[in-house]
Each structure stands twice: as C-alpha cells, then as structure tokens.
Amino acid sequence: MTSEQQLVVLLVRVAVAASVASFLSRFTAFLRMLMLEERNLKQRVELALCFAVVFGAGVGVRVIAPGYQGVDLGLAGGLLAGLIGGYLTGLLAGVLISIPAMFGGEWMTMPMLAGSGLLGGLLRDISPDPEEIWHFSPVYDVLGGYRLFRKNRNLRSSAFQLLFLSSILFAVFLYEAVSEIFAKALHPVIPDIPVLSIGGYLAMVLCVAVPLKIWNSARTERKLEEQNRSLVEARLVALTNQINPHFLFNTLNSIGALVRINPDEARGVIYRLSSILRRLLQKVEARTPLREELNFIDDYLSIEMVRFGDKLRFEKDIDPETLNTLVPSMVLQPIVENSIKHGLANQVEGGIITIRSRFANGRLKLTIEDNGSGIPEERLQQLFSLGIGVSNVNERLRVLYQESYSVTVESRPGEGTRTEIEIPDQISL
C-alpha cells in the first residue's frame, strides 16, 4: 500500500467515525441511553449491542472485502463503548465487535478489542466528573498542561484529559505491537508505513474524539429541549395558579347559611366544592379532555347558582363528538368567571351563560356567551393586556399552540359578551 493509499484509508476512517456517530444519534432510544449516567444491567447490554451492530458491521466489511480497511473502527468502537457505558458495556461490545474478525482467523482481535472496552471503562471510572468524558479534545490545551504544576480547581480535569489522550495512543501502540508479533492473527489498525505512523495515531484519536463531540452536541440539544419543556410546564403551572377560583370564601359563607335552612343542599355544595379543590390541588396535565373541563364547569356553576339563585342560568350546546378532544386545562373557567363577575352579577334580573362546542374545518371551536352588561369599547381594546382571565387564557394558548389558535371577544354594552376559542383538533387516547 502506497503512502497516498494509506492516507486515504486514514481519512476514510475518520469520515466513517463521524458518519457512524451521526447515524446513531438519529435514534431516540440511543440518545436516551446517552443521557443516562447510571444504567441498569439491561440498559448496559442494550448499549453494548448498539455499538456491536454498527462497529461490528465495519469489521465484517473489512474481513469480507480487505480493500475497505477504512470502515474498520473496531478498536475505537470498543473504547467508546467503555467510555460511555462502563466496564461491562465496553467488554461485551469489544467481544461482539470482534466476532467477524474471529471468523476471518484473526484470533487475537477479541482480547484486544475487549481490552479496549475495559480501558474505556477504566477511564470512565477514574474521571473526576462524568462530563469530562464528553469534553475530550485531541488538541491538548497547553495552558491546561501548565496548570498541572499549579494549585487550582482545574488540576484534576487537566490531568485526566492528558491521561485520556495518552491512553488512546497507548491502545494504538499496543495494538500495532501485538499485530507485529502475531502477524495474521490480528489485523493491524495502521499498516506498516513509518512515515504515516503518526498520522495513524492521530486518526485513531479523531475516531474517538469526533463521535464524542457529535454525541455531546446531540445530548446538549436534547437537554435544551427538556429544559424548554420544563420551562413551558412551569410557566403553565404559574398561569394556572393565577386563574384559580377566588370564590372560596363566598362559597363557605353560602354553606354556613345553608347549614341551618337546607342541610341537604349544604352537603351538596360541600361535595361540589371538594371536587373543585381536588382538581385545583392535584397535578393537572397541560391538556385534558373537554368532557372533564365541562364537568369542572358544572361543579363551579352549580355553586355559583346557589349564591345567585334564579338570577343565574346555565345552558350547554355541546357536540358529543367533541367531548374527547383535548383542550388546555382550566381554559373555560376564567372566562365563565368573568361572565358572572363582570357581566351578570350587577344585573338585577341576572342572565344566562351558554357554552357551545363544535368542529369546523378540522378545528375545535368553543364559545362562551352571556347576555350580561357587556364590556365598554375602551376596556374591550385592552382586554388581552389588562384582563386577568382572558389574558392568561390567551397566554396559555400561545404557549401550547404558538400561532395555531385564536381567541376573539365580541361585546356590546347592555347586550352581553361572546368569547370564541379556536384550537387544533387533538383527540385524547
């Protein structure tokens, strides 16, 4: 093999390492395993099998077609498996990766690759921090080396990175030395061309460093997604807490009055109030079936009807096909509360609150309408910025659906208010 051919093999090997890492990072199950710092026995074996299938395939291709030496990343695969999964994963992956070579009569390949996996497990075990594995770079920091002689908090990190690099170089040296002793019993990772030997060592270092960088980028991206998801959930919880009912004391006063004159109705109000409080205190998912939201509104309005008597009436026009559609939790109650508090409470004759649901063009439309006192024009224009109920509902919808929703409020003083919410149709399982 000429020097040019050897250089091509080394470059191909690095390119294959990058391709293999990118390929594995596309699988959610593999990424999920990368995110774990502690794994049970099953997860360690599954991780070893992932490495064995991909890196073992490269060894198999090289055995069948010797001209494709650049696809053989067995040594790097065993080391990477140990670095990420520990001793057991590295040992098992190294053994399985070497099986195609064993069929080719390369008997020393299995102990060498198994040893590479154990070396990776050792490096993982002595790492000062689990994240140090992911921060490995083939270009050793000169300043980091200088810090080895100074007392500072990066001493252990710098020492480990130097040891990491040295271990890879030692693994390649040992592999080459054994290949010369046992000849055909072990396929050499670097063909014997002295002028390119240093290039072969560098290629091996890159074959370890490049996958780690690619997988670390995937881990970082996934962590950011999880952090954003947690932030959204926290934001939704905060918004939900803002729109919890403020009628508790009024309800307790109503119960106190009913205890003497109508104990049975008082017990019914207590039962409905307990259902409401249970819903508010438990962990509520971001979305819930419309059926459950309507049950909550039934309990809420039945208590309000006790307070307001015949002044408050409630009507529903619900399409049965919409009952299993997922809607944001607590999306109706703030608007219904506004209808009572600002639309009907001040009217001597009271009024009617109507809730409707229907499908239109593959979307769910919810309508909350009252025939109360309405909203003045100047206040209607500031409703989404000043109104606590409507603005919070709008904010929660924006968090959940981005631009794929709409909230419209129509009102005329003395005639009532109509609020319409349109969201994507999502059926609960």
Short mmCIF file of all heavy atoms in Angstrom, two decimals, residues 283-311:
data_model
loop_
_atom_site.label_atom_id
_atom_site.label_comp_id
_atom_site.label_asym_id
_atom_site.label_seq_id
_atom_site.Cartn_x
_atom_site.Cartn_y
_atom_site.Cartn_z
N LYS A 283 -51.98 17.54 40.57
CA LYS A 283 -51.18 17.89 39.39
C LYS A 283 -52.01 17.67 38.15
O LYS A 283 -52.37 16.55 37.81
CB LYS A 283 -49.91 17.03 39.32
CG LYS A 283 -48.97 17.44 38.21
CD LYS A 283 -47.75 16.54 38.19
CE LYS A 283 -46.74 17.02 37.16
NZ LYS A 283 -47.27 17.11 35.82
N VAL A 284 -52.35 18.74 37.46
CA VAL A 284 -53.19 18.67 36.28
C VAL A 284 -52.31 18.73 35.03
O VAL A 284 -51.38 19.54 34.95
CB VAL A 284 -54.22 19.83 36.26
CG1 VAL A 284 -55.09 19.75 35.03
CG2 VAL A 284 -55.08 19.79 37.52
N GLU A 285 -52.60 17.86 34.08
CA GLU A 285 -51.85 17.87 32.84
C GLU A 285 -52.13 19.16 32.05
O GLU A 285 -53.14 19.83 32.28
CB GLU A 285 -52.21 16.66 31.99
CG GLU A 285 -51.89 15.32 32.65
CD GLU A 285 -50.41 15.13 32.86
OE1 GLU A 285 -49.63 15.68 32.07
OE2 GLU A 285 -50.03 14.45 33.83
N ALA A 286 -51.24 19.49 31.12
CA ALA A 286 -51.42 20.71 30.33
C ALA A 286 -52.70 20.64 29.51
O ALA A 286 -53.36 21.66 29.30
CB ALA A 286 -50.21 20.92 29.43
N ARG A 287 -53.06 19.44 29.03
CA ARG A 287 -54.28 19.26 28.26
C ARG A 287 -55.14 18.18 28.90
O ARG A 287 -54.62 17.23 29.47
CB ARG A 287 -53.96 18.89 26.81
CG ARG A 287 -53.21 19.96 26.04
CD ARG A 287 -52.91 19.47 24.62
NE ARG A 287 -52.23 20.46 23.81
CZ ARG A 287 -50.92 20.64 23.76
NH1 ARG A 287 -50.15 19.87 24.50
NH2 ARG A 287 -50.38 21.56 23.00
N THR A 288 -56.43 18.33 28.77
CA THR A 288 -57.37 17.37 29.34
C THR A 288 -58.58 17.26 28.42
O THR A 288 -58.86 18.20 27.67
CB THR A 288 -57.80 17.84 30.75
OG1 THR A 288 -58.57 16.80 31.37
CG2 THR A 288 -58.64 19.09 30.66
N PRO A 289 -59.30 16.14 28.41
CA PRO A 289 -60.47 16.01 27.55
C PRO A 289 -61.52 17.07 27.87
O PRO A 289 -61.72 17.45 29.03
CB PRO A 289 -60.99 14.60 27.85
CG PRO A 289 -59.80 13.85 28.34
CD PRO A 289 -58.98 14.87 29.09
N LEU A 290 -62.21 17.54 26.86
CA LEU A 290 -63.25 18.56 27.04
C LEU A 290 -64.31 18.07 28.02
O LEU A 290 -64.87 18.87 28.78
CB LEU A 290 -63.88 18.89 25.69
CG LEU A 290 -65.03 19.90 25.70
CD1 LEU A 290 -64.57 21.24 26.26
CD2 LEU A 290 -65.60 20.08 24.30
N ARG A 291 -64.58 16.79 28.03
CA ARG A 291 -65.57 16.23 28.95
C ARG A 291 -65.24 16.58 30.40
O ARG A 291 -66.14 16.97 31.17
CB ARG A 291 -65.59 14.71 28.77
CG ARG A 291 -66.67 13.99 29.56
CD ARG A 291 -66.44 12.47 29.53
NE ARG A 291 -66.22 12.01 28.17
CZ ARG A 291 -67.18 11.69 27.32
NH1 ARG A 291 -68.45 11.80 27.71
NH2 ARG A 291 -66.90 11.27 26.10
N GLU A 292 -63.96 16.46 30.77
CA GLU A 292 -63.56 16.77 32.15
C GLU A 292 -63.66 18.26 32.44
O GLU A 292 -64.02 18.67 33.55
CB GLU A 292 -62.15 16.26 32.40
CG GLU A 292 -62.00 14.75 32.32
CD GLU A 292 -60.60 14.28 32.67
OE1 GLU A 292 -59.82 15.10 33.19
OE2 GLU A 292 -60.29 13.10 32.41
N GLU A 293 -63.32 19.08 31.46
CA GLU A 293 -63.44 20.53 31.65
C GLU A 293 -64.89 20.93 31.89
O GLU A 293 -65.20 21.78 32.73
CB GLU A 293 -62.87 21.27 30.44
CG GLU A 293 -61.37 21.30 30.37
CD GLU A 293 -60.76 22.02 31.56
OE1 GLU A 293 -61.09 23.21 31.78
OE2 GLU A 293 -59.97 21.40 32.29
N LEU A 294 -65.80 20.31 31.14
CA LEU A 294 -67.23 20.63 31.30
C LEU A 294 -67.75 20.14 32.65
O LEU A 294 -68.59 20.81 33.27
CB LEU A 294 -68.02 20.00 30.16
CG LEU A 294 -67.78 20.61 28.78
CD1 LEU A 294 -68.50 19.82 27.70
CD2 LEU A 294 -68.23 22.07 28.74
N ASN A 295 -67.26 18.99 33.13
CA ASN A 295 -67.66 18.52 34.45
C ASN A 295 -67.20 19.51 35.53
O ASN A 295 -67.92 19.77 36.50
CB ASN A 295 -67.05 17.14 34.73
CG ASN A 295 -67.67 16.05 33.88
OD1 ASN A 295 -68.80 16.20 33.38
ND2 ASN A 295 -66.96 14.94 33.70
N PHE A 296 -65.99 20.05 35.35
CA PHE A 296 -65.49 21.06 36.29
C PHE A 296 -66.39 22.30 36.27
O PHE A 296 -66.72 22.86 37.32
CB PHE A 296 -64.06 21.42 35.92
CG PHE A 296 -63.44 22.44 36.82
CD1 PHE A 296 -62.85 22.06 38.02
CD2 PHE A 296 -63.44 23.78 36.48
CE1 PHE A 296 -62.27 23.01 38.86
CE2 PHE A 296 -62.87 24.73 37.31
CZ PHE A 296 -62.29 24.33 38.51
N ILE A 297 -66.77 22.73 35.07
CA ILE A 297 -67.64 23.91 34.95
C ILE A 297 -69.00 23.64 35.58
O ILE A 297 -69.61 24.53 36.20
CB ILE A 297 -67.78 24.32 33.47
CG1 ILE A 297 -66.44 24.82 32.93
CG2 ILE A 297 -68.85 25.39 33.30
CD1 ILE A 297 -65.90 26.04 33.64
N ASP A 298 -69.51 22.42 35.44
CA ASP A 298 -70.79 22.06 36.06
C ASP A 298 -70.71 22.26 37.58
O ASP A 298 -71.63 22.84 38.19
CB ASP A 298 -71.16 20.62 35.74
CG ASP A 298 -71.62 20.44 34.30
OD1 ASP A 298 -72.03 21.45 33.68
OD2 ASP A 298 -71.57 19.31 33.79
N ASP A 299 -69.63 21.75 38.20
CA ASP A 299 -69.47 21.91 39.65
C ASP A 299 -69.33 23.38 40.03
O ASP A 299 -69.92 23.84 41.02
CB ASP A 299 -68.25 21.12 40.13
CG ASP A 299 -68.45 19.62 40.07
OD1 ASP A 299 -69.61 19.18 40.13
OD2 ASP A 299 -67.44 18.89 39.95
N TYR A 300 -68.54 24.09 39.24
CA TYR A 300 -68.30 25.50 39.54
C TYR A 300 -69.60 26.31 39.47
O TYR A 300 -69.93 27.08 40.38
CB TYR A 300 -67.26 26.05 38.57
CG TYR A 300 -67.05 27.54 38.66
CD1 TYR A 300 -66.30 28.09 39.70
CD2 TYR A 300 -67.61 28.40 37.71
CE1 TYR A 300 -66.11 29.46 39.79
CE2 TYR A 300 -67.42 29.78 37.80
CZ TYR A 300 -66.67 30.30 38.84
OH TYR A 300 -66.48 31.64 38.93
N LEU A 301 -70.35 26.12 38.39
CA LEU A 301 -71.56 26.91 38.20
C LEU A 301 -72.68 26.48 39.15
O LEU A 301 -73.52 27.30 39.54
CB LEU A 301 -72.04 26.80 36.76
CG LEU A 301 -71.24 27.64 35.75
CD1 LEU A 301 -71.70 27.38 34.33
CD2 LEU A 301 -71.37 29.13 36.07
N SER A 302 -72.71 25.22 39.54
CA SER A 302 -73.74 24.79 40.49
C SER A 302 -73.57 25.49 41.83
O SER A 302 -74.55 25.82 42.52
CB SER A 302 -73.69 23.27 40.67
OG SER A 302 -72.45 22.88 41.26
N ILE A 303 -72.30 25.77 42.21
CA ILE A 303 -72.04 26.53 43.44
C ILE A 303 -72.43 27.98 43.26
O ILE A 303 -73.06 28.59 44.14
CB ILE A 303 -70.56 26.39 43.84
CG1 ILE A 303 -70.26 24.96 44.27
CG2 ILE A 303 -70.22 27.36 44.97
CD1 ILE A 303 -68.81 24.71 44.62
N GLU A 304 -72.10 28.54 42.09
CA GLU A 304 -72.45 29.94 41.83
C GLU A 304 -73.97 30.11 41.78
O GLU A 304 -74.50 31.15 42.20
CB GLU A 304 -71.81 30.41 40.52
CG GLU A 304 -70.30 30.49 40.54
CD GLU A 304 -69.78 31.64 41.37
OE1 GLU A 304 -70.27 31.85 42.50
OE2 GLU A 304 -68.88 32.35 40.91
N MET A 305 -74.68 29.11 41.31
CA MET A 305 -76.14 29.19 41.26
C MET A 305 -76.75 29.21 42.65
O MET A 305 -77.81 29.80 42.87
CB MET A 305 -76.69 28.02 40.45
CG MET A 305 -76.45 28.12 38.96
SD MET A 305 -77.05 26.66 38.06
CE MET A 305 -76.56 27.08 36.38
N VAL A 306 -76.06 28.53 43.60
CA VAL A 306 -76.53 28.59 44.98
C VAL A 306 -76.40 30.01 45.52
O VAL A 306 -77.28 30.52 46.23
CB VAL A 306 -75.73 27.60 45.85
CG1 VAL A 306 -76.04 27.80 47.33
CG2 VAL A 306 -76.03 26.17 45.45
N ARG A 307 -75.32 30.66 45.16
CA ARG A 307 -75.09 32.03 45.62
C ARG A 307 -76.05 33.02 44.98
O ARG A 307 -76.59 33.90 45.66
CB ARG A 307 -73.65 32.46 45.32
CG ARG A 307 -72.59 31.74 46.12
CD ARG A 307 -71.20 32.22 45.74
NE ARG A 307 -71.12 33.67 45.81
CZ ARG A 307 -70.39 34.43 45.01
NH1 ARG A 307 -69.68 33.87 44.04
NH2 ARG A 307 -70.37 35.74 45.15
N PHE A 308 -76.26 32.87 43.66
CA PHE A 308 -77.06 33.86 42.93
C PHE A 308 -78.53 33.47 42.78
O PHE A 308 -79.34 34.28 42.37
CB PHE A 308 -76.45 34.08 41.54
CG PHE A 308 -75.14 34.82 41.56
CD1 PHE A 308 -73.94 34.15 41.51
CD2 PHE A 308 -75.12 36.20 41.67
CE1 PHE A 308 -72.73 34.83 41.54
CE2 PHE A 308 -73.92 36.89 41.70
CZ PHE A 308 -72.71 36.19 41.64
N GLY A 309 -78.85 32.23 43.09
CA GLY A 309 -80.23 31.80 42.98
C GLY A 309 -80.71 31.77 41.53
O GLY A 309 -79.96 31.42 40.61
N ASP A 310 -81.96 32.19 41.31
CA ASP A 310 -82.56 32.16 39.97
C ASP A 310 -81.97 33.20 39.02
O ASP A 310 -82.28 33.19 37.82
CB ASP A 310 -84.08 32.36 40.07
CG ASP A 310 -84.75 31.20 40.81
OD1 ASP A 310 -84.15 30.12 40.82
OD2 ASP A 310 -85.84 31.40 41.37
N LYS A 311 -81.15 34.10 39.56
CA LYS A 311 -80.56 35.13 38.70
C LYS A 311 -79.60 34.52 37.68
O LYS A 311 -79.38 35.10 36.61
CB LYS A 311 -79.81 36.16 39.54
CG LYS A 311 -80.69 37.05 40.40
CD LYS A 311 -79.86 38.00 41.23
CE LYS A 311 -78.95 38.86 40.35
NZ LYS A 311 -78.17 39.83 41.14
#
